[in-house]
């Protein structure tokens, strides 16, 4: 055990000496930053050579205003026209029809469709059969297509 401890201590001492010698022998010259004045034109040329573009403050403000104007005017999104063929069998209720039409993206609000059917007395005249509907149709047109009124 004593032999092992001495060997370990000798290894540590050797490592410290190697580090100390290399530390003292390295040239530790201090580097100082040299301040150099550049002209604006020189900086712009250097940036453009490296692929960058420069703008004045006025040009930047104008560009930001144009981008804000473009972003504030929303582009109208055209919704695709959905077509759906519905089969109406005996016992089909207005609730069933409105649920199917909502799932097929023919109508946007099933409650509004149901109340329209009841208020205008279309729900009593639902006709058994098949009807082809699309998302551009109004509630009136849909009601007329699925009823015999």
């Amino acid at each position: 055990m004593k032999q092992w401890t001495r060997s370990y201590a000798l290894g540590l001492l050797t490592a410290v000496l190697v580090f100390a010698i290399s530390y003292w022998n390295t040239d530790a010259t201090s580097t100082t930053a040299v301040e150099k004045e550049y002209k604006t034109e020189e900086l712009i040329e250097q940036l453009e050579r490296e692929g960058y573009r420069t703008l004045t403050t006025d040009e930047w403000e104008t560009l930001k205003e144009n981008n804000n104007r473009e972003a504030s005017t929303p582009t109208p999104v055209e919704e695709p026209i959905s077509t759906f063929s519905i089969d109406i069998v005996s016992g089909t209720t207005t609730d069933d029809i409105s649920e199917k039409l909502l799932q097929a993206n023919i109508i946007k609000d099933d409650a509004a469709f149901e109340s329209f059917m009841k208020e205008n007395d279309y729900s009593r005249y639902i006709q058994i059969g098949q009807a082809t509907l699309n998302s551009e149709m109004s509630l009136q047109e849909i009601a007329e297509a699925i009823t015999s009124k």
Side-chain angles (χ1 to χ4, degrees):
M1 177 82 168
K2 196 177 200 182
Q3 183 72 23
W4 185 84
T5 307
R6 285 183 184 163
S7 297
Y8 184 73
L10 184 62
L12 286 176
L13 181 64
T14 305
V16 169
L17 287 175
V18 168
F19 284 125
I21 291 170
S22 64
Y23 176 75
W24 284 312
N25 287 335
T26 55
D27 188 20
T29 58
S30 63
T31 56
T32 57
V34 177
E35 190 172 317
K36 182 179 175 187
E37 289 289 324
Y38 288 101
K39 293 182 182 177
T40 305
E41 292 80 20
E42 292 174 346
L43 292 173
I44 290 172
E45 288 175 16
Q46 179 66 28
L47 287 171
E48 288 179 350
R49 270 184 272 150
E50 292 183 17
Y52 295 98
R53 296 288 169 238
T54 58
L55 299 173
T56 63
T57 304
D58 293 335
E59 292 171 335
W60 175 249
E61 292 299 324
T62 305
L63 185 63
K64 282 188 352 186
E65 288 175 14
N66 290 341
N67 284 342
N68 288 341
R69 275 191 229 128
E70 290 174 6
S72 66
T73 55
T75 56
V77 177
E78 294 183 20
E79 294 183 23
I81 299 172
S82 301
T83 304
F84 181 66
S85 181
I86 186 168
D87 290 321
I88 302 172
V89 294
S90 179
T92 303
T93 64
T94 306
D95 297 339
D96 297 334
I97 294 171
S98 66
E99 189 175 311
K100 288 179 183 178
L101 295 178
L102 183 65
Q103 289 175 354
N105 293 325
I106 302 299
I107 59 173
K108 296 192 184 338
D109 186 10
D110 58 342
F113 177 74
E114 291 170 20
S115 66
F116 176 82
M117 292 287 285
K118 289 176 185 169
E119 289 172 6
N120 295 302
D121 202 31
Y122 281 110
S123 52
R124 289 183 19 192
Y125 299 101
I126 295 175
Q127 187 173 358
I128 296 172
Q130 187 176 33
T132 302
L133 311 169
N134 66 49
S135 58
E136 286 188 332
M137 296 174 81
S138 67
L139 295 179
Q140 176 87 29
E141 292 170 331
I142 293 171
E144 290 174 359
I146 62 173
T147 62
S148 62
K149 185 175 175 184

